[in-house]
Amino acid sequence: MPILVCAHRGASGYAPENTMKAFRLAHRLGADACENDVHLTRDGAIVVIHDHDVSRVSAGQGKVEEMTLAELKALDVGEGERIPTLEECLAFFDASGMKLNIEIKTGEEIYDPALVEGVGKAVRKFGLSSRIIISSFYHKSLADMKSLFPEIDTAVLHGPEIREPGAYAAALGARYSHPHYACVNKAFMEECAKHGVLVNPWTVDGELDLVRMKDLGVNMVITDFPDRALRCLA
Ligand code: G3P
Ligand code: MG
């Protein structure tokens, strides 16, 4: 089985992260999938942006959760690009045939079940369940997603703190482990395989690291440079 290539925040090594430009470029470069990050706005829209705050990627200031969609849309997030809504993104993935990994950016302090419900409903509306993976570092959101939308695959995002990633993912009903790539070794792969859990490491950008992931037999790599990954994994 070929190892899939997932463009992290789109082809973010070359274009402004989490923008339609970055997703379109990933498609042109031949990526199988993209990863994006989603938040809820003050007025209940779901938008594609990594941080809780807009200041790193734009000249604006403020927290996404405290801003309206109109306020967020007024920002330039690089090269004239605007923050996409999840629905704008899903329309592109529907048409392009690519897979999409939606990362739910939430944590205990700001957990709003409306985000999980809104993401699941949008995926259903576009009929894209078979091409979507929902991931999160906040694992309660994955359990909630699975109980509301059992047909949508989920992935546990984690670092070295999870000692038995396969058993842990299986217990949450997750099909995938999404570890930092430095955690992945032969024992890691074997433990996941024992539980039928597939491994999609992030963010694998170095050529040597890409080749190491290939040799370990991961399912998909999440990378800022999809063209480089395609070359190293071939
Ligand atoms: O989903 C993989 C990766 O995106 C997790 O970290 O901070 O880039 O969202 P981050
Ligand atoms: Mg992410």
Side-chain angles (χ1 to χ4, degrees), residues 8-9 35-37 50 103 105 137 157:
H8 180 238
R9 312 181 194 172
E35 185 257 11
N36 70 13
D37 307 281
H50 181 272
E103 181 186 343
K105 282 294 185 197
F137 284 107
L157 267 168

Side-chain angles (χ1 to χ4, degrees), residues 164-183:
E164 296 191 317
Y168 186 91
L172 270 173
R175 186 164 181 214
Y176 302 97
S177 158
H178 283 196
H180 184 272
Y181 70 91
C183 307

